[in-house]
Amino acid sequence: MMSLMKPDMQMDVSFYKVEEIRHLTDETFSLKLPRARFAFKAGQHISLGIVGGNQSREYSIYSGENDENLELLIKEVDNGYFTPRLRKLKAGSMVEVHGPFGKFGMEPELAANGKFVFIASGTGIAPFRSIVHTYPGIDYRIIHGVRYSKEAYDREEYAADRYTLCTSRDKGGNYNGRLTGYLKSCTFDPETHFDLCGNSNMIFDALEILKDKGFDRDQIHCEVYF
Amino acid sequence: MTTNDKKSVAFKTLGCRLNQYETDALVTDFSNAGYELVDYNASPDVVIINTCTVTNQSDTKSRSVISQSVRKAKNAVVVVTGCMANNFKAKLESQENITFVVENNRKSSILSLIDAHFSGEIVHPDQLPQDVFRYEPVHKSLHTRSAVKIQDGCDNFCTFCIIPMVRGMAASRPVADVLESVRKTVENGFKEIVITGVNIGRYEDGRVRFEELLAKILEVPGDFRVRISSLEPDGFGDDFVKLFAHPKLMPHLHLCLQSGSDKTLLRMRRMYDVAQFRKTVNKFRSAYPGFNFTTDIIVGFPGETDEEFQQTLDAIKEFNFSHIHTFKYSVRKGTRAERLENHLPEKIKSERSLKVRDLSVENMKRYFESFIGQTQNVLIERISEGTASGYGENYIPVHFKLPGAQKNMIIKVKLTGLVGEDEDMFFLGEIVGE
Ligand SMILES: Cc1cc2nc3c(=O)[nH]c(=O)nc-3n(C[C@H](O)[C@H](O)[C@H](O)COP(=O)(O)OP(=O)(O)OC[C@H]3O[C@@H](n4cnc5c(N)ncnc54)[C@H](O)[C@@H]3O)c2cc1C
Ligand code: SF4
């Protein structure tokens, strides 16, 4: 009785040839895959495997819903298992994509009318670039926390007055110090929607700050990487 | 069946309510097809083992049941299915004494596989159709309560959980199909149905979400009551709370808290915090005092500090869960938590688990005591030496004398006393009227 299955129910597995690798810093790069018929909602993630390998990891989609490529933003982690292997991929290497997954993301009606603050640590900026690419007219601010200013991945794509870089290890940011230090000094419209993405310690601290400012937990959405 | 002699089949089920439901549906399939249902000690022709892999303990149990079955039922066709069949497929397939390994998404077609086998056809389980909702409504002779599956799979990827790997992405059964299954289950004589799935709060068929589906189920005509199996504590609003005013919907939820520490919840990738959980509990309890909450708690999650664990104990006291499934965290290969830092020693996990258990028993006693002198409508599930037993609306166990009692009757009972120790506590009651 296959008819009971909705077509979008099955676990999607697709194989792709890496089209291009963009080196953004010594450790961080983007993988560009052909988008082909892959459909997703900005903010969602996929699970990525290397063909012939036996492990996979989750990655937020870095490109917009209608961009030409399916792009991922990846940081090589010291002593990590998977990222050093990803790093060795070349244009033409084959990867395996499962998904898309997750409820973190943007609904079109909300994007048209809402006010957003996106708070990201490191590569946690990935889903927000996807959202900004998909909804260029969206009313947003990005607060991006990194260690060094060179980690402001593709910052030129965001309007200068919408993007705030917080650097904890050099003085190249708009704010020199941790993202959470900057967040404490901010004021936001009471109707703001907050989306937080990155490591769980940053998310925990940012949540506490936002709750102290009187925002309801239901206004805040989180995507935890580790 | 294509052979003339009546074949016999035995089932063994491990794990969750969803697995139990899927076995019940398979039992219905096999008995409708003329197979005799026997105990697995009685040399069955076919043994079907529906396994679980949610913790290390479930793996061990599943393995032991498989080897026992193989030993006891020497000449039987042995089918291993369920979550372990997904998680350890290649390993199980390499075991000579297992005839077929059938993954979850093909489980509903096991009867065709066995029929083909007995008629000499060679069919590989991978050729069976993939359909997680093909199950027939359960036949009434099996239990007094039947599950109805509305959903399968989950893509929340909580860091400790293997389920997304073994059950696949979230998928919802079409509304019309769910309602038809409820109707047939009620026609089959069930007085209580349990809405089941992996993550049922994520139900979504077009514009119909879980709350709307539940409202439709409650409107199905007939004399039956409805329970919800277990629910993740995110994403439902006031309309959901209001639904519990419906007389068919029972005042009990198994709402999985997992931890009382917001930090631990984030490391688990659980997308709610304790304050949101509190809001939900308070909404229910202010609308329906005495509403029963039970939960799952994981102790000893990687990095769980003493302070974080204390927050869990505080939450357990505050929310007054009447029962807690306590899990000592165990590594599931391939999950993100496997790669988290600061895994805790077994000794700490055991100590924490005992503390949670003690609190759970205290809570249960306090919660149960608050019902003494009240009445409950009890669905009779068992009768032994003139004593009937079953569960009241709030999912509390009650025993009472009733001459001529029959399974599946709903009887109004006044709760007069509480007996039994620890988690085996139950009420004694007297009949008020039918
Ligand atoms: C939903 C989701 C989306 C994700 N999206 C992205 C993404 O867009 N880009 C990305 O680079 N990673 C992302 N990650 C993390 C990614 O899945 C891997 O964990 C990461 O690439 C490291 O893999 P590894 O095998 O090399 O190291 P692992 O063995 O998996 O991790 C080793 C340790 O590295 C640290 N770590 C993990 N990820 C990062 C990171 N991104 N930056 C710094 N330290 C890290 C953690 O402390 C971790 O315990 C995401 C994770 C999740 C759950
Ligand atoms: S919600 Fe989390 S715990 Fe529940 S099945 Fe999904 S991944 Fe597992």
Side-chain angles (χ1 to χ4, degrees), chain B residues 15 18 45 85 97-98 153 182 199 206 216 228 237 239 254 263 272 292 297 321 357 360 370 380 382 394 418 433:
Chain B
L18 181 57
D45 297 305
N97 38 27
I98 297 174
V182 171
N199 185 355
K216 288 179 194 290
I228 291 167
D239 287 348
H254 188 82
K263 265 199 170 156
Y272 54 90
N292 189 9
I297 294 285
F321 299 113
R357 261 161 220 258
S360 169
S370 70
I380 300 179
R382 228 166 272 113
N394 292 60
L418 201 52

Side-chain angles (χ1 to χ4, degrees), chain B residues 341-387:
Chain B
E341 288 167 358
N342 299 324
H343 282 252
L344 300 185
E346 213 41 44
K347 186 166 169 282
I348 294 187
K349 291 186 208 168
S350 301
E351 284 166 7
R352 291 184 179 173
S353 164
L354 276 180
K355 285 189 183 156
V356 171
R357 261 161 220 258
D358 287 349
L359 259 189
S360 169
V361 171
E362 266 175 44
N363 276 2
M364 180 188 262
K365 191 151 188 274
R366 197 171 45 244
Y367 179 73
F368 280 13
E369 278 170 354
S370 70
F371 279 86
I372 304 273
Q374 296 193 21
T375 54
Q376 286 267 304
N377 288 305
V378 179
L379 173 65
I380 300 179
E381 294 189 9
R382 228 166 272 113
I383 301 155
S384 160
E385 297 171 5
T387 300

Side-chain angles (χ1 to χ4, degrees), chain A residues 57-60 73 75 77 82-83 123 225, chain B residues 336 339:
Chain A
R57 294 286 185 270
E58 295 80 27
Y59 293 97
S60 298
L73 176 73
K75 174 167 183 172
V77 169
F82 196 66
T83 45
T123 50
Y225 280 5
Chain B
R336 294 196 76 82
R339 303 192 301 277

Side-chain angles (χ1 to χ4, degrees), chain B residues 361 364-365 368 419-426:
Chain B
V361 171
M364 180 188 262
K365 191 151 188 274
F368 280 13
V419 292
E421 284 294 299
D422 297 340
E423 294 187 331
D424 296 325
M425 259 178 273
F426 59 88

Side-chain angles (χ1 to χ4, degrees), chain B residues 36-47:
Chain B
E36 187 188 356
L37 184 64
V38 297
D39 187 87
Y40 84 135
N41 289 312
S43 307
D45 297 305
V46 185
V47 181

Side-chain angles (χ1 to χ4, degrees), chain A residues 1-2 4-6 8-12 45 55-58 99-103 200-201 203-204 207-208 211 216-218 222-226, chain B residues 129-134 155 157 164 168-174 177 202 204-206 262-263 266-267 269-273 276 279 336 339-340:
Chain A
M1 293 222 298
M2 287 299 284
L4 284 181
M5 294 290 293
K6 291 201 301 183
D8 58 351
M9 276 179 182
Q10 271 138 340
M11 176 73 93
D12 245 338
H45 67 272
Q55 294 223 14
S56 59
R57 294 286 185 270
E58 295 80 27
F101 300 116
K103 292 271 169 199
S200 60
N201 288 333
I203 291 181
F204 179 81
L207 272 170
E208 292 297 295
K211 285 193 275 184
D216 197 280
R217 181 63 176 79
D218 295 337
C222 306
E223 180 76 305
V224 175
Y225 280 5
F226 59 92
Chain B
Q130 299 185 46
D131 191 335
V132 290
F133 297 126
R134 209 197 63 106
D155 42 79
F157 289 96
M169 274 171 86
S172 298
R173 188 177 192 174
D177 212 46
R202 282 285 155 87
E204 197 172 4
D205 180 32
D262 287 345
K263 265 199 170 156
L266 281 177
R267 286 201 305 281
R269 260 178 71 80
R270 306 280 293 172
M271 291 308 143
Y272 54 90
D273 65 10
Q276 282 174 306
K279 217 159 132 186
R336 294 196 76 82
R339 303 192 301 277
L340 285 177

Side-chain angles (χ1 to χ4, degrees), chain A residues 6 9 103, chain B residues 133 149-153 170-179 195-197 199-214 216-217 231:
Chain A
K6 291 201 301 183
M9 276 179 182
K103 292 271 169 199
Chain B
F133 297 126
K149 180 173 174 179
I150 65 162
Q151 187 273 348
D152 203 334
S172 298
R173 188 177 192 174
V175 176
D177 212 46
V178 172
L179 296 179
I195 310 298
T196 306
N199 185 355
I200 56 177
R202 282 285 155 87
Y203 182 90
E204 197 172 4
D205 180 32
R207 300 177 84 88
V208 180
R209 291 176 174 245
F210 179 59
E211 296 168 10
E212 286 99 30
L213 179 72
L214 191 56
K216 288 179 194 290
I217 290 174
L231 206 57

